[in-house]
Amino acid sequence: MKTINHTTNPLREIVLTGDRPTGPLHLGHYVGSLLNRVALQETHQQFVMIADLQALTDYYDKPDTVHHAVRQILVDYLAVGIDPCMTTIFIQSGIPEIAELTVLYLNLVTINRLRRNPTVKTEMQQKGAEEHVSAGFLTYPVNQAADITCVKATLVPVGEDQLPMIEQMNEIVRDFNRIYHTTVLREAKPLIARTSRLPGIDGKAKMSKSLNNAIYLSDDADTVAAKVKAMYTDPNHLRVSDPGQVAGNTVFTYLDAFDPDHKEVAELKEHYQRGGLGDMMLKKRLTDVLNTILTPIRERRALFMKDLEAIMAIAHEGTQRTREVAQSTMYEVREAMKLLY
Ligand code: TRP
């Protein structure tokens, strides 16, 4: 394993990204963010955060779920190849400076601006009645600005739904630097994943735990087979001999995302459109493709699960390392705000 000095290399751009621990990670995370992180750790100084405090803005009454999911996500990270010698993995609640920065930033943001944040707005609509939205939920973009600025990250790999978060964070950074006559905080750029969003097995726009349409990195081979079997295809493709639709056919979307043999997939598409190719055969192929990717991940996962103590030590070490960076940012912030007595 390579060792990189995480704190003192000024040439490498600092990347921070994170996940809410509400359950184990799935194939949507794999193509949308995990593979990207495994690549980025080779070229960037990377922090990956398990956002347990942010998860609580939704799951405040389910602390056990969040607690358990932190471990699952940690194991998922390591199993896909996020290497703790190259990436600093940390737990958000282990950095009190994030809470401290959040309080200071809250003065720079109006309630109306938060209500207008498109991500928050959509999520509030999904929740229903606005009077049930907690202050913690409404202000989570400010907390997220604290996540990113505490390590002075300048590049944030996220999904498109998170763009308004980065925009709001940059507003806070500019206001802070202007009002307190400083240059401590740094603006960040979003990095949108190349792979478009993976649909759920039901063909719905997004794979997600709440829609119950996800294939998890932790699913065993039989579960993967059963989920692929239930996958949405072309509802009008009733007989093998019928011509079938490729567009919107989830099995093909997945083959495009995961099957390494693009030439053969192109031939299968043609055959399917001509007629004479059955869904069962395609699904068998997809099951094999997915299990080829997932089997080594599953095996590494099982090994790590046996030694949770060692896994938690990795998280503690990463959190400690992050804390040192956050403390130094905090000192500069206090200095700029005349809070050193
Ligand atoms: N809000 C992100 C999500 O729901 C998770 C997250 C928390 C995050 N803090 C972050 C992502 C900081 C990037 C940077 O997926």
Side-chain angles (χ1 to χ4, degrees), residues 3 136 225 317 333:
T3 326
E317 210 247 318
V333 163

Side-chain angles (χ1 to χ4, degrees), residues 16-20 29 37 49-51 54-55 92 119 123 140 143-145 147-148 155-159 161-162 165-166 206:
L16 180 130
T17 177
D19 297 292
R20 294 179 176 205
H29 295 114
R37 294 176 192 172
M49 178 183 71
I50 306 183
Q54 191 177 109
Q92 188 187 23
T119 313
E123 286 170 339
Y140 93 78
N143 187 238
Q144 189 155 324
D147 299 336
I148 300 167
L155 198 60
V156 185
V158 281
D161 60 315
Q162 293 286 309
M165 294 289 165
I166 315 278
K206 189 179 177 180

Side-chain angles (χ1 to χ4, degrees), residues 156-182:
V156 185
V158 281
E160 253 175 78
D161 60 315
Q162 293 286 309
L163 288 180
M165 294 289 165
I166 315 278
E167 207 175 294
Q168 182 148 29
M169 174 223 151
N170 283 329
E171 281 174 32
I172 293 173
V173 167
R174 285 193 294 268
D175 284 343
F176 186 97
N177 286 345
R178 179 177 45 81
I179 293 168
Y180 302 114
H181 308 290
T182 177

